[in-house]
């Protein structure tokens, strides 16, 4: 609810800018044409993820993986890592934060091992693992639209930094929690889906959606079709699940407010000062400078407005990917660095898992520079 209120305040600020002429109507219309399809995708994929979770898809998958781990926490953690990467890449970082977090915490609780390494893996991978595809992060969708890139062309640019970010993140989690990850546990019996029909409809829908998201079709179209299929299935088999809360209205209001307010700042030339700190050029150090500015900005004000503010100063595709590295993989220090982190913490507290923010931020201060540096140099290497 607080996110929705912030979004409404930002929309009011943007409306005042439009009424007073600070934000011209033509620029506002151009902004709407750019972001409405993106927000439509966010709504649709959130509905898909929520209904797939209601059908038991993620829970059953997690329990199957726990059974395959055969009592070894390290194997279970590797499975969680793979699941977090796949969820983030194909269904977005917010989906991972919202839906995977309670699953991995429940798995850890049933196995009687610490949930902290699994929870930390989930939130870090949700951010650092969100570089590969446009659908992985809202910032990526904006960048892909800005560059007019097919998803596979986008992935070709981001593959090396995405791999580097994931590997470094995983290494840091393991090296900071080796005793907990090398423990043993007693596997619990795998759960069966409550409604096999809904389970298989959800499974088929998600499996079909994944290739559609990289087909080159505007992503809001297959996501909307998938959402419609699941809405019909639940309307027939479990209508009580269908509620207004399935629509992520607070997130839409928050994102819309950020879009409009940052566009107003651009129109007023307030963000021009960032050109000095962002620098120019595409040498490894130039890219690292831009990524570092992006990471610092994301942790200061949130990754979405940080990207929007710095986008005009990332003039070519390689610099734009460097900016994404900073605002995506670097946004793991402050709780407000990304919306995914706030959603993750909300799920943890609802399950009784306490996280020390000072300790979280100290770990982030270790992980963010290492991850951003590794990903940026991987980008520079792949671009040569």
């Amino acid at each position: 609810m607080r996110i929705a209120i912030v979004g409404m305040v930002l929309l009011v600020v943007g409306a005042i800018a439009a009424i007073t002429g600070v934000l011209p109507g033509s620029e506002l219309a151009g902004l709407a044409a750019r972001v409405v399809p993106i927000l439509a995708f966010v709504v649709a994929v959130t509905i898909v993820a929520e209904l797939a979770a209601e059908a038991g898809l993620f829970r059953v998958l997690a329990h199957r993986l726990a059974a395959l781990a055969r009592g070894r926490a390290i194997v279970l953690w590797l499975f969680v890592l793979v699941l977090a990467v796949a969820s983030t890449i194909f269904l977005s970082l917010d989906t991972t934060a919202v839906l995977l977090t309670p699953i991995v915490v429940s798995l850890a609780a049933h196995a009687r091992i610490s949930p902290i390494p699994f929870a930390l893996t989930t939130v870090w991978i949700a951010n650092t693992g969100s570089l590969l595809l446009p659908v992985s992060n809202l910032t990526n969708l904006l960048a892909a639209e800005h560059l007019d890139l097919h998803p596979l062309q986008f992935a070709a640019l981001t593959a090396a930094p995405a791999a580097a970010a994931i590997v470094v993140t995983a290494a840091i989690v393991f090296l900071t929690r080796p005793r907990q990850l090398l423990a043993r546990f007693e596997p619990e019996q795998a759960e069966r889906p409550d409604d096999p029909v809904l389970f298989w409809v959800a499974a088929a829908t998600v499996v079909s959606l994944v290739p559609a998201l990289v087909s080159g079709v505007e992503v809001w179209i297959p996501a909307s079709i998938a959402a419609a299929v699941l809405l019909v299935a639940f309307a027939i088999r479990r209508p009580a699940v269908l509620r207004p809360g399935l629509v992520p209205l607070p997130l839409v209001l928050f994102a819309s407010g950020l879009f409009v307010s940052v566009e107003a700042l651009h129109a007023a030339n307030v963000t021009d000062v960032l050109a000095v700190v962002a620098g120019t050029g595409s040498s490894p150090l130039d890219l690292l400078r831009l990524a570092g500015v992006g990471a610092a900005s994301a942790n200061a004000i949130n990754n979405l407005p940080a990207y929007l503010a710095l986008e005009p100063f990332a003039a070519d595709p390689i610099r734009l990917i460097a900016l994404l590295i900073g605002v995506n993989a670097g946004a793991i220090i402050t709780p407000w660095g990304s919306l995914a982190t706030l959603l993750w913490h909300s799920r943890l507290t609802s399950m009784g898992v306490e996280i020390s923010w000072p300790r979280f931020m100290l770990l982030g201060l270790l992980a963010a520079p290492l991850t951003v540096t590794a990903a940026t140099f991987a980008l520079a290497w792949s671009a040569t």
Side-chain angles (χ1 to χ4, degrees):
M1 187 59 68
R2 291 177 183 174
I3 292 173
I5 293 172
V6 172
M8 291 176 68
V9 170
L10 292 174
L11 282 173
V12 169
V13 171
I16 293 172
I19 292 170
T20 58
V22 173
L23 178 59
S26 59
E27 294 188 18
L28 186 60
L31 176 68
R34 183 181 182 189
V35 303
V36 167
I38 292 172
L39 294 177
F41 165 77
V42 170
V43 171
V45 81
T46 301
I47 292 173
V48 169
E50 290 281 1
L51 293 180
E54 288 284 353
L57 180 63
F58 301 117
R59 185 178 66 253
V60 170
L61 179 58
H63 282 279
R64 294 288 189 272
L65 294 178
L68 291 173
R70 298 183 180 276
R72 293 165 292 178
I74 185 64
V75 177
L76 181 59
W77 174 70
L78 289 172
F79 284 147
V80 168
L81 178 64
V82 171
L83 193 57
V85 169
S87 172
T88 299
I89 288 174
F90 294 107
L91 295 174
S92 86
L93 75 167
D94 296 324
T95 296
T96 298
V98 170
L99 300 180
L100 192 58
T101 299
I103 293 172
V104 300
V105 170
S106 297
L107 280 176
H110 287 302
R112 291 183 289 278
I113 55 180
S114 172
I116 300 302
F118 298 90
L120 191 61
T121 299
T122 302
V123 71
W124 275 1
I125 289 296
N127 289 284
T128 65
S130 65
L131 288 169
L132 186 63
L133 292 176
V135 299
S136 307
N137 199 317
L138 190 54
T139 54
N140 296 6
L141 285 168
L142 289 167
E145 190 274 340
H146 180 69
L147 295 172
D148 193 24
L149 289 177
H150 185 282
L152 295 181
Q153 293 174 313
F154 186 91
L157 288 173
T158 59
I166 291 168
V167 169
V168 170
T169 300
I172 294 171
V173 172
F174 177 77
L175 292 174
T176 55
R177 299 279 176 173
R179 183 179 301 178
Q180 293 166 329
L181 292 176
L182 293 174
R184 304 280 299 187
F185 70 93
E186 187 67 31
E188 65 168 355
Q189 181 129 13
E191 293 188 19
R192 294 181 179 274
D194 297 328
D195 187 326
V197 173
L198 282 178
F199 173 82
W200 287 112
V201 169
T205 301
V206 172
V207 169
S208 300
L209 177 61
V210 168
L213 293 177
V214 297
S215 66
V217 176
E218 288 193 59
V219 292
W220 69 270
I221 297 175
S224 299
I225 293 172
V229 169
L230 289 180
L231 285 169
V232 170
F234 271 85
I236 295 171
R237 307 230 11 130
R238 201 186 296 172
V241 169
L242 303 181
R243 60 193 187 281
L246 288 173
V247 178
L249 184 60
L251 175 58
V252 171
L253 287 173
F254 181 68
S256 300
L258 287 175
F259 286 138
V260 175
S261 58
V262 173
E263 189 68 20
L265 291 175
H266 279 318
N269 299 318
V270 174
T271 59
D272 286 357
V273 66
L274 293 173
V276 178
V277 293
T280 58
S282 296
S283 73
L285 291 181
D286 289 329
L287 296 178
L288 186 59
R289 175 181 177 178
L290 177 57
V293 171
S297 301
N299 284 293
I301 61 172
N302 182 269
N303 67 335
L304 184 55
Y307 170 82
L308 291 171
L310 288 163
E311 184 190 63
F313 315 116
D316 60 73
I318 298 302
R319 282 183 59 82
L320 199 62
I321 302 305
L323 174 58
L324 289 178
I325 290 170
V327 299
N328 291 4
I332 56 174
I333 299 174
T334 58
W336 56 85
S338 79
L339 180 62
T341 302
L342 295 174
L343 294 171
W344 167 81
H345 183 255
S346 175
R347 287 298 170 108
L348 285 183
T349 54
S350 69
M351 300 185 73
V353 177
E354 295 297 326
I355 292 291
S356 165
W357 281 127
R359 183 170 177 78
F360 177 88
M361 293 174 71
L362 284 173
L363 284 171
L365 282 169
L366 167 69
L370 293 174
T371 304
V372 169
T373 300
T376 303
F377 280 116
L379 171 67
W381 168 80
S382 66
T384 57

